[in-house]
Amino acid sequence: MRPPPELGAQIALFKAGYDAVEQDRIWAAQSATFRAFWEGRVMGPQQETLGDDLCDPVIRILDRNAKGNTKSSHAVARAMVPQGAWRRILNRLHADRRLGDALDAVLAETVPERKAQAIDRLYELNQGERNYLTGSSGNTVCAFLAAYDPVHNLSVISLRDRRAILEYLEVALPFDWGSASIGVQIVETNHAIQMAVHELGLSGSARTMSRLFYVPAVKVLWRGEHTVQLDGRSVSVAVPTEAEDDEVAVCADAALAGPGVDAPGRSAPADEIRESMQIQALLARIGAMMGFSIWLPKGDRSRVLKAWTPGPGELLDVLPLGYDATTTKTIEQIDVLWLRRRSIARAFEVEHTTSIYSGLLRMADLVALQPDIKVKLHIVAGIERQAKVLEEIKRPVFAMLERKPLREMCTFLSYDHIREIAETKFLAHLSDLVLDDYAVATETGDDEP
């Protein structure tokens, strides 16, 4: 195939500047470390829990965002999986031999058709589990594959990114994306991208080919993500597609229509509204147990207090802040605030299906009104909404705030993880930093190797 002119030039530059021999040597060592852990620990004798000291070095190989990694660390990709979730995945695979064997079959299989079937079997066994192992993006399984065998498995771990690359290269796939199983999608895109890149003149390992697509000048060609200069700093922004604009328009309409409205003319399901209020109540309870004072919007209190009974002094009647009236009014509408004396420590927007955009706008309003505010911001939603939240937060309106992009200040927490934190033993003795083990942040490239 003939490469687009702009890509052909970038391939030549990449080949001249990328030390493939040295990088492959590094990844041979990384793979050996991962395999030793997988075979000796995860698939080893089912004894005690795998401790953080055992899991974390391997998580640093799997995920660039893992605790302890730096810009110079060698990791598969940004997997968008919280540190705590990785630890639980590894321990679940260790404790549940049927699930562990299923992933082991995925890693070991070399025949494409059987590999796709093994992936589908893993997804079937894990169906209904919201544990980050078998999501629709394929991130986690693809990260395991790339760590196990970086020579033959791409570090482009997101199926969304794989599809965007193939569409940019105008590669015809031998399957229908809408009806193909997740196993077929992972296996076939892995093969198709490597074949296409080889035809374009770049040979070598799958790791080498993956790195090409995350060179900034190449990424902008296929991803629709651009870097702009703002006050002397580079800011990455995502330009939404028409389909995304339509979805956001529905969200905005729902926000303008008021609580309890899903879209013009349609009422939101009652159980959905109750769930968001239950999560607000859990966040209030967790914060209070950790010693924070709690703020809830006046309009939500009667419903939230059906699920949480505050102790004396735990729920604030007035925000003790010294901001102007406009800023204070904005802050008062945020779903849950944790305060330490007169300072906000964390702010939470609890979102149900349709209001992601309005929640991000409220966080952005706060930062725009008070650029120097130092508060940890969180969007809380169902785990199935994670990708959407992290994509919306890269929009230009959020990326070009005065101090820094909203994505650098705001993270995602899932409903399931809030429930898990709420059930943690000795919660009253824990620091709020425990939330950071569950939070997912957006980076410049959400699965960049």
Side-chain angles (χ1 to χ4, degrees), residues 39-93:
E39 295 164 5
R41 297 290 186 174
V42 178
M43 300 302 295
Q46 292 173 299
Q47 298 172 349
E48 69 278 357
T49 299
L50 301 175
D52 295 353
D53 58 327
L54 293 174
C55 293
D56 287 357
V58 174
I59 297 171
R60 286 195 287 271
I61 294 173
L62 290 163
D63 194 343
R64 177 166 295 282
N65 281 354
K67 287 189 174 182
N69 273 348
T70 66
K71 289 184 178 180
S72 62
S73 299
H74 296 274
V76 169
R78 292 188 175 105
M80 311 312 292
V81 176
Q83 187 85 9
W86 274 121
R87 292 167 179 164
R88 288 185 292 279
I89 287 171
L90 293 171
N91 273 287
R92 173 71 185 281
L93 293 166

Side-chain angles (χ1 to χ4, degrees), residues 73-393:
S73 299
H74 296 274
V76 169
R78 292 188 175 105
M80 311 312 292
V81 176
Q83 187 85 9
W86 274 121
R87 292 167 179 164
R88 288 185 292 279
I89 287 171
L90 293 171
N91 273 287
R92 173 71 185 281
L93 293 166
H94 175 63
D96 185 341
R97 186 43 49 93
R98 191 172 60 144
L99 198 63
D101 285 344
L103 181 54
D104 190 57
V106 170
L107 300 177
E109 185 57 68
T110 58
V111 177
E113 182 179 356
R114 293 206 295 262
K115 197 176 197 73
Q117 293 171 350
I119 293 171
D120 292 337
R121 174 61 175 160
L122 174 68
Y123 269 68
E124 180 183 339
L125 287 173
N126 198 53
Q127 187 174 7
E129 299 290 338
R130 296 184 175 185
N131 55 13
Y132 282 90
L133 176 60
T134 52
S136 60
S137 68
N139 280 18
T140 305
V141 170
C142 289
F144 276 120
L145 285 166
Y148 187 83
D149 181 4
V151 174
H152 298 103
N153 294 302
L154 292 169
S155 294
V156 181
I157 61 173
S158 163
L159 284 172
R160 183 197 66 176
D161 277 12
R162 291 188 182 189
R163 185 174 186 178
I165 289 169
L166 289 166
E167 288 176 350
Y168 167 69
L169 295 176
E170 298 182 351
V171 173
L173 290 171
F175 66 88
D176 176 66
W177 199 281
S179 60
S181 71
I182 193 83
V184 169
Q185 291 177 14
I186 289 173
V187 171
E188 293 292 343
T189 56
N190 184 67
H191 174 72
I193 289 174
Q194 291 184 67
M195 290 298 295
V197 174
H198 183 75
E199 290 184 30
L200 292 174
L202 178 61
S203 59
S205 67
R207 177 69 187 183
T208 295
M209 295 181 182
S210 300
R211 289 298 302 130
L212 166 70
F213 289 103
Y214 292 92
V215 172
V218 175
K219 185 169 66 172
V220 72
L221 297 176
W222 61 268
R223 198 171 193 184
E225 194 169 286
H226 304 268
T227 300
V228 298
Q229 295 297 316
L230 180 66
D231 297 332
R233 55 191 169 94
S234 295
V235 177
S236 177
V237 299
V239 179
T241 65
E242 185 176 350
E244 289 171 333
D245 285 337
D246 291 342
E247 182 172 348
V248 172
V250 171
C251 294
D253 288 343
L256 291 171
V261 177
D262 186 37
R266 298 201 305 273
S267 296
D271 58 346
E272 183 176 277
I273 296 174
R274 285 198 299 270
E275 184 178 30
S276 67
M277 293 297 171
Q278 290 167 1
I279 295 299
Q280 277 183 266
L282 283 179
L283 285 166
R285 181 167 70 84
I286 292 167
M289 290 184 68
M290 290 183 175
F292 293 98
S293 299
I294 307 301
W295 171 264
L296 298 170
K298 294 293 179 65
D300 292 348
R301 293 191 176 200
S302 61
R303 288 171 290 179
V304 175
L305 294 181
K306 292 179 181 178
W308 173 57
T309 303
E314 290 181 344
L315 180 62
L316 296 171
D317 290 324
V318 178
L319 278 175
L321 306 175
Y323 298 126
D324 59 78
T326 300
T327 303
T328 300
K329 187 175 181 179
T330 298
I331 294 173
E332 286 176 344
Q333 300 308 309
I334 293 174
D335 287 334
V336 183
L337 297 175
W338 291 0
L339 294 93
R340 185 82 74 187
R341 292 181 290 277
R342 298 174 60 86
S343 177
I344 302 173
R346 293 182 186 259
F348 305 86
E349 275 291 321
V350 181
E351 307 297 6
H352 54 79
T353 304
T354 59
S355 60
I356 286 171
Y357 195 61
S358 61
L360 287 169
L361 282 174
R362 192 141 44 228
M363 293 301 197
D365 284 346
L366 171 60
V367 175
L369 288 166
Q370 295 293 328
D372 294 327
I373 196 169
K374 295 181 180 179
V375 178
K376 291 191 174 183
L377 311 175
H378 306 283
I379 298 293
V380 185
I383 195 170
E384 70 279 0
R385 305 296 288 165
Q386 175 179 311
K388 185 62 178 173
V389 171
L390 299 178
E391 188 65 26
E392 291 294 341
I393 204 171

Side-chain angles (χ1 to χ4, degrees), residues 20-50:
V21 173
E22 173 61 14
Q23 291 297 315
D24 285 350
R25 184 194 65 78
I26 290 170
W27 275 97
Q30 295 284 72
S31 179
T33 298
F34 174 80
R35 288 189 181 214
F37 173 81
W38 177 259
E39 295 164 5
R41 297 290 186 174
V42 178
M43 300 302 295
Q46 292 173 299
Q47 298 172 349
E48 69 278 357
T49 299
L50 301 175

